Amino acid sequence: MNKFKYNITTFGCQMNKNDSERMRSILEGMGLESTSDETEADVILLNSCSVRESAEARIYSKTNNISKLKKKKPNLIVCVTGCMPGRDKDGEIKRRLKEVDLFFKNEEMVNLPKWLCGLNPDFDEIETEKKYLKVKPVYKSKFQAFVPIQTGCNHFCTYCAVPYARGTEINRPLKDILEEINCLSEKGYKEVTLLGEIVNHYTAEDPEYFSKNNKYIKSDFAKLLWEINQIKGIERIHWTGPHPIYMDDEVIDALTLPKQVNFLHLPVQSGSTKILEKMNRRHDREFFIDLVKRIKDKKPDIAIGTDLIVGFCGETSEDFEETLDMYRECDFDIAYPAKYSTRSGTVAADNFNDDVSQEEKKRRWFAVQDLMEEITLKKNQEFLNKKVSVLVERFKDGWCEGQSSEMRLTRFKGEESMVGTIQNPEIYKADIWLLWGRLV
């Protein structure tokens, strides 16, 4: 008898990718096998993102295509999880997804065995953890892992759907986090990336598991970073999703810990104090610029990336110029600009007028992109004739490729056996998005 098969497609952030790894664990525990071919699957699961309207449009398009497949395979089970179910307060999204059998929040994944067996009694029902973050993931990589330390957000930035999609902030027990990372270390993992909606606001509910000789006193997040630095085998620590207002002196100091990658992603969203206030970001332009200076005083060579929203409600040309000026002053290494799109249910959608034209949003997006490429290329030239530390992620046609400690994509001649190891190529050529190196 052929085994049942599943297919998972993940949209959005690293948190969604990690949630998919946990759902993969549940499905494989039920005896299902993974397939990359949707036409072979008995269960298709779409893990959705709600950050922008375009992300949700991809789900509607995808389910429309899958509906044609379902006509050929009447027993095919189609599931949609992630942020869209989380923010569907009035059921309107679910009504639009007529061919979807299961529509559920990520934290409800623990019910998958019961629900799937209700739809197909030939599946094997299993017992799962009651809390979804206790489900052990089936990691996609054998040397890199995402480790969530919290989920949800209490800040309610006016443009953001996350608090509605994922709920308010929940911190994961310190004991669980350290056990997972120790287990990863024992399996030979080299890099962990800590995840959270506001990752540097982590607060341990069980602080007794911090070591007595921990370097830090006030910040639980800095304490956690110190603890992970003591775990043998883990060689690189990365984290994403911090908020500027929680970058206190201890967290800034933790950027100098030996296993910390030489990169910090620090979202700002706008360089205009007026727009920051309208976004409910809880800090002004001067605070952010001063914070970047403090970070670079502590670690001068650190690479800093950011997120920017262009064309937010009421953003004038002068406001946007302030964003470009701040970009130059902070000297960012990279940015992820996004054109503002209204998210139903948010404060901005209910109270502000989306009054910047799509044409102007596009112009501003390209202005950020052009500035970024100019600065990034200039910064990349500084790596010429220097060695960088690269965790090799891929090998193809004689070339190794991976991210440097500064999160620069780096390529060099090597061997397939180097995948999963840290190498130190010397850079001989620097493009905008790629460093070329050779092993010396």
Side-chain angles (χ1 to χ4, degrees):
M1 179 180 174
N2 292 330
K3 277 198 169 188
F4 293 109
K5 295 182 179 181
Y6 72 90
N7 173 275
I8 296 179
T9 302
T10 307
F11 301 86
C13 66
Q14 293 99 325
M15 188 71 81
N16 274 16
K17 291 175 184 175
N18 181 260
D19 289 338
S20 289
E21 290 177 334
R22 294 175 194 278
M23 283 181 271
R24 189 184 302 274
S25 174
I26 292 172
L27 293 170
E28 292 187 3
M30 295 176 64
L32 278 73
E33 290 182 345
S34 175
T35 177
S36 59
D37 185 350
E38 288 181 348
T39 64
E40 294 182 351
D42 301 284
V43 176
I44 292 178
L45 194 150
L46 306 177
N47 196 346
S48 64
C49 172
S50 283
V51 170
R52 287 184 282 279
E53 185 177 4
S54 58
E56 293 192 348
R58 292 171 71 187
I59 295 293
Y60 291 123
S61 173
K62 187 84 171 169
T63 53
N64 183 54
N65 291 333
I66 291 173
S67 67
K68 300 169 187 174
L69 177 61
K70 199 166 183 180
K71 288 176 182 175
K72 298 177 184 177
K73 293 182 67 174
N75 293 329
L76 173 65
I77 299 172
V78 181
C79 314
V80 171
T81 184
C83 293
M84 287 175 72
R87 75 180 203 87
D88 188 25
K89 305 305 178 189
D90 58 4
E92 181 58 32
I93 296 175
K94 186 177 181 180
R95 280 191 287 274
R96 287 186 62 182
L97 298 170
K98 295 182 174 60
E99 297 298 327
V100 172
D101 301 287
L102 295 176
F103 186 78
F104 60 95
K105 300 177 185 178
N106 276 319
E107 63 265 29
E108 296 175 322
M109 69 172 74
V110 293
N111 296 313
L112 265 175
K114 177 179 67 177
W115 290 339
L116 290 174
C117 289
L119 293 169
N120 186 340
D122 291 330
F123 288 158
D124 295 329
E125 187 167 356
I126 59 168
E127 289 291 325
T128 62
E129 296 282 356
K130 301 226 182 320
K131 293 184 178 180
Y132 90 101
L133 283 175
K134 282 187 172 289
V135 175
K136 289 184 169 51
V138 173
Y139 303 101
K140 189 173 182 180
S141 168
K142 293 183 179 179
F143 49 88
Q144 294 171 301
F146 297 124
V147 179
I149 65 171
Q150 61 165 209
T151 185
C153 182
N154 298 339
H155 273 223
F156 292 89
C157 295
T158 58
Y159 55 82
C160 185
V162 168
Y164 310 98
R166 286 190 170 270
T168 52
E169 187 176 303
I170 297 173
N171 291 292
R172 195 174 171 201
L174 174 63
K175 182 174 181 287
D176 290 358
I177 297 168
L178 295 178
E179 283 180 354
E180 181 172 348
I181 297 174
N182 272 294
C183 183
L184 288 166
S185 172
E186 291 169 4
K187 292 178 179 178
Y189 281 73
K190 295 287 190 294
E191 179 184 86
V192 293
T193 299
L194 306 181
L195 304 179
E197 307 304 338
I198 300 183
V199 69
N200 57 335
H201 193 223
Y202 174 74
T203 305
E205 63 180 41
D206 48 354
E208 64 272 16
Y209 287 98
F210 284 125
S211 302
K212 298 290 188 242
N213 63 334
N214 195 297
K215 177 180 179 180
Y216 300 110
I217 299 169
K218 295 181 180 179
S219 167
D220 279 6
F221 182 64
K223 291 180 187 178
L224 174 60
L225 294 174
W226 186 91
E227 294 289 346
I228 300 170
N229 261 265
Q230 314 312 308
I231 297 176
K232 291 181 179 180
I234 300 299
E235 297 184 41
R236 302 213 315 185
I237 301 169
H238 183 30
W239 34 280
T240 187
H243 195 291
I245 66 173
Y246 300 116
M247 290 296 299
D248 60 30
D249 289 342
E250 288 192 340
V251 176
I252 292 173
D253 186 80
L255 292 168
T256 67
L257 290 170
K259 297 180 181 181
Q260 172 70 33
V261 296
N262 197 28
F263 176 84
L264 173 65
H265 185 75
L266 189 64
V268 63
Q269 308 302 358
S270 174
S272 162
T273 291
K274 182 191 86 177
I275 296 300
L276 288 168
E277 182 176 354
K278 202 168 185 179
M279 289 176 166
N280 192 34
R281 288 295 289 169
R282 307 190 188 196
H283 65 81
D284 59 18
R285 169 193 175 91
E286 287 69 29
F287 174 91
F288 189 88
I289 291 172
D290 179 67
L291 172 61
V292 170
K293 288 177 180 176
R294 287 167 54 212
I295 291 168
K296 291 188 175 182
D297 284 344
K298 174 62 73 170
K299 196 170 186 182
D301 64 341
I302 192 169
I304 300 179
T306 195
D307 291 334
L308 293 169
I309 296 173
V310 300
F312 186 66
C313 310
E315 183 188 66
T316 64
S317 296
E318 291 76 17
D319 294 323
F320 177 64
E321 286 301 320
E322 286 195 75
T323 295
L324 294 180
D325 288 343
M326 187 190 67
Y327 196 110
R328 297 183 189 98
E329 186 164 357
C330 292
D331 200 28
F332 291 118
D333 290 69
I334 193 169
Y336 298 90
K339 298 186 287 289
Y340 172 70
S341 63
T342 303
R343 304 283 70 222
S344 61
T346 62
V347 173
D350 294 340
N351 297 277
F352 304 150
N353 182 22
D354 183 9
D355 55 359
V356 181
S357 70
Q358 287 300 316
E359 183 180 358
E360 179 61 14
K361 287 176 183 176
K362 186 176 181 180
R363 186 195 72 78
R364 293 176 190 181
W365 186 93
F366 274 108
V368 173
Q369 191 75 13
D370 291 344
L371 177 61
M372 173 174 57
E373 291 184 8
E374 174 191 332
I375 292 175
T376 299
L377 180 59
K378 180 182 175 182
K379 281 176 166 285
N380 281 356
Q381 305 307 307
E382 298 171 6
F383 287 96
L384 289 172
N385 303 313
K386 295 179 181 177
K387 289 184 178 181
V388 295
S389 174
V390 178
L391 177 56
V392 181
E393 299 175 27
R394 295 171 293 280
F395 174 86
K396 185 177 180 181
D397 299 331
W399 292 94
C400 291
E401 199 172 84
Q403 298 288 344
S404 74
S405 185
E406 295 76 23
M407 294 296 129
R408 256 64 170 192
L409 183 62
T410 307
R411 183 180 295 163
F412 58 93
K413 284 286 186 182
E415 300 174 0
E416 190 168 9
S417 60
M418 292 178 177
V419 173
T421 69
I422 293 177
Q423 302 292 327
N424 299 284
E426 184 176 278
I427 303 305
Y428 67 86
K429 180 182 175 183
D431 297 330
I432 297 175
W433 305 122
L434 185 64
L435 299 180
W436 298 81
R438 60 171 66 93
L439 293 177
V440 179

